[in-house]
Amino acid sequence: MTHSLRPYGQHRAPLPPTESPASGVPSPRPPGPPQAATAGAGAGAAPVKQRDAFFDNAKYLAIVFVAMGHAWEPLTDHSRAAEALYMVVYTFHMPAFIIISGYFSRSFDMRPDRLRRLITGVAVPYVLFEVAYSLFKKWADDDPGHPISLLDPWYLTWFLVALFVWRMTVPLWKVVRRPVVLALAIAVLASVSPDIGDDLDLQRVLQFLPFFVVGLFMKPEHFQLMRRREVRILSVPVLAAALALAYWTGPQVNSAWFYHRDSAQELGAPWWVGIVATLALFGISMVLTSCFFAWVPRRKMWFTVLGAGTLYGYLLHGFLAKGSRFWGWYEEYTWLHHPAGEVFVSVFAAALITVLCTPPVQRMFRFAMEPKMEWAFKRDATELARERTRS
């Protein structure tokens, strides 16, 4: 039985489907032309959009896995269970975000209003948080020599750089043949090119690129296919097998492969391993991401509204995630390395990221995440003409 993806209600939407920065990925509304304002609205009223509960739910659940993965990282040296969970989660949480980003970037073009929103919703938060993270490291890690460099993203800010680059390339992917194959070829070449360096974290930009391109060319029926009952049933043994394999191979696997931030040579492997690993990880990630999407609820849940604030949770939780390492919490509180401690860490991470995605936190930090900055841009001729017509 095929399940449709249904919108869950009417929401004010300040941005079009391709460029909502508040979630870290484009706003989860059904693709297509914007809906008209509700009947009886005044001439100057903002149009009302519909959000799709499925995508808001997917983004929230994915960001919870991101937070838990960061919390599990210090536990992986002493716990094979934590290591197995860590490896499996890292194969699908960012690919899921990136696929959704590509899916809702399908209508992105170089229209002035969309470029402005790309700058204010992605580029400006990158600058602000790159500086904030660098200052935080100087203070919390007692590292006064740590540089502030906008060319070398530190920790979580790489995703904003990648999202900016991927969005700018959308028109190019629409004119080439076999775009997914081409994106995979680029990712493979990046994985065997140690000379790329750390500028703008281009290894991650290029190695994660295929997931964005996959999302760019997905259609609603692809997500409906993943919601089929038989797919959900099949996903259970697939996830179980992935966890068992991760538990078995964990001690022999370098988890850095899952970050996609280094070439094969930088990880101490022959160049040809980069080709094999990139293709294998892409296939595994696509399978596990499909399993993840299969179990995402399509109806409105208590956490659905939090899907609009995942970028807030993503960027803000990084201060505590890194601070816990700088301040030695995992070494000081050794009970965290026991099963009960691992459960506590998981629950705490999920609770923290949930709070950071809430509307009050969004309102508090909107100045950094979604600045209007009308003073920085020229007025669009189309907008000026529309205002003259209304007057």
Side-chain angles (χ1 to χ4, degrees), residues 42-78:
V48 177
K49 314 290 184 180
Q50 286 188 329
R51 299 183 68 91
D52 193 308
F54 172 83
F55 292 103
D56 272 335
N57 293 338
K59 292 190 313 180
Y60 168 75
L61 294 173
I63 201 64
V64 167
F65 281 120
V66 169
M68 290 195 297
H70 291 154
W72 292 335
E73 185 177 358
L75 306 174
T76 56
D77 290 338
H78 303 93

Side-chain angles (χ1 to χ4, degrees), residues 22-317:
S23 58
V25 295
S27 182
R29 289 183 290 273
Q35 296 185 359
T38 54
V48 177
K49 314 290 184 180
Q50 286 188 329
R51 299 183 68 91
D52 193 308
F54 172 83
F55 292 103
D56 272 335
N57 293 338
K59 292 190 313 180
Y60 168 75
L61 294 173
I63 201 64
V64 167
F65 281 120
V66 169
M68 290 195 297
H70 291 154
W72 292 335
E73 185 177 358
L75 306 174
T76 56
D77 290 338
H78 303 93
S79 171
R80 290 186 67 174
E83 186 174 37
L85 287 169
Y86 181 80
M87 289 172 60
V88 171
V89 163
Y90 264 73
T91 60
F92 72 81
H93 65 24
M94 288 311 297
F97 265 118
I98 295 167
I99 286 172
I100 295 174
S101 295
Y103 180 68
F104 284 101
S105 293
R106 294 182 301 168
S107 61
F108 182 82
D109 52 27
M110 297 299 175
R111 211 171 69 185
D113 61 327
R114 290 176 175 165
L115 289 175
R116 289 198 299 268
R117 286 160 181 154
L118 183 62
I119 293 171
T120 58
V122 179
V124 172
Y126 167 70
V127 172
L128 295 177
F129 275 87
E130 180 63 24
V131 172
Y133 271 129
S134 298
L135 294 175
F136 178 73
K137 179 169 171 56
K138 285 174 177 285
W139 167 71
D141 198 26
D142 194 19
D143 183 12
H146 180 77
I148 298 176
S149 173
L150 298 182
L151 296 179
D152 187 10
W154 189 74
Y155 198 35
L156 301 179
T157 56
W158 72 269
F159 180 68
L160 295 175
V161 172
L163 187 59
F164 187 92
V165 173
W166 295 332
R167 289 257 187 95
M168 291 294 288
T169 63
V170 166
L172 299 178
W173 295 110
K174 292 182 177 180
V175 300
V176 300
R177 293 182 178 180
R178 298 181 176 84
V180 175
V181 174
L182 178 59
L184 266 174
I186 292 173
V188 166
L189 289 174
S191 72
V192 298
S193 303
D195 293 335
I196 288 180
D198 296 327
D199 289 351
L200 297 180
D201 231 347
L202 283 179
Q203 280 288 358
R204 275 176 162 163
V205 173
L206 299 178
Q207 290 193 37
F208 275 113
L209 174 64
F211 300 105
F212 182 82
V213 177
V214 166
L216 194 61
F217 290 93
M218 287 186 71
K219 298 178 180 179
E221 50 263 34
H222 294 137
F223 289 99
Q224 294 168 2
L225 178 63
M226 288 184 281
R227 294 290 306 166
R228 292 173 64 92
R229 183 171 180 269
E230 51 267 37
V231 176
R232 299 181 74 182
I233 294 174
L234 182 60
S235 68
V236 175
V238 169
L239 284 170
L243 285 168
L245 181 62
Y247 187 88
W248 178 51
T249 62
Q252 290 80 41
V253 175
N254 183 354
S255 59
W257 285 104
F258 298 95
Y259 305 152
H260 297 285
R261 68 184 180 196
D262 300 295
S263 65
Q265 296 93 320
E266 290 172 303
L267 295 176
W271 66 270
W272 59 268
V273 174
I275 299 175
V276 175
T278 299
L279 296 176
L281 284 174
F282 176 76
I284 294 171
S285 294
M286 288 301 301
V287 170
L288 294 184
T289 301
S290 298
C291 293
F292 168 73
F293 283 138
W295 283 95
V296 171
R298 63 181 176 85
R299 65 184 184 278
K300 184 178 179 181
M301 309 290 289
W302 66 265
F303 54 78
T304 302
V305 67
L306 304 179
T310 50
L311 183 60
Y312 291 81
Y314 175 77
L315 291 174
L316 293 172
H317 93 280

